[in-house]
Amino acid sequence: MAVDAAMTVLAHQGQWDEVLLVAIPLALFAWVLHSANRRADRANRPTGQPSAPDTPAASSSPASSPSAPATPSTPPTDEH
């Protein structure tokens, strides 16, 4: 009798079971991909560097800024 009640609950109740057949593998795949990306990022990080935040942040270094003027490697000569 209990088996009949369990089968009634699992027998196509509004298609929710088909949704789970798609949602669970997709969620599992997303979790595995996210974990692999985090592990690869940690493996590629140089030793001693703190972990980067999940969101990309702008660099505070003026040398790496594209709007910063380039400094010449040799001083300008005064030839008049």
Side-chain angles (χ1 to χ4, degrees):
M1 199 61 136
V3 174
D4 289 337
M7 292 306 288
T8 301
V9 171
L10 295 176
H12 300 286
Q13 298 295 316
Q15 310 301 328
W16 64 267
D17 53 341
E18 283 85 3
V19 171
L20 291 179
L21 288 173
V22 173
I24 290 174
L26 283 176
L28 181 64
F29 181 75
W31 176 75
V32 168
L33 183 62
H34 176 71
S35 297
N37 282 336
R38 287 186 59 207
R39 184 174 285 197
D41 288 343
R42 276 189 250 137
N44 290 333
R45 185 181 326 128
T47 306
Q49 290 286 335
S51 63
D54 288 339
T55 57
S59 175
S60 62
S61 173
S64 64
S65 174
S67 63
T71 56
S73 58
T74 59
T77 57
D78 191 26
E79 296 178 22
H80 289 290

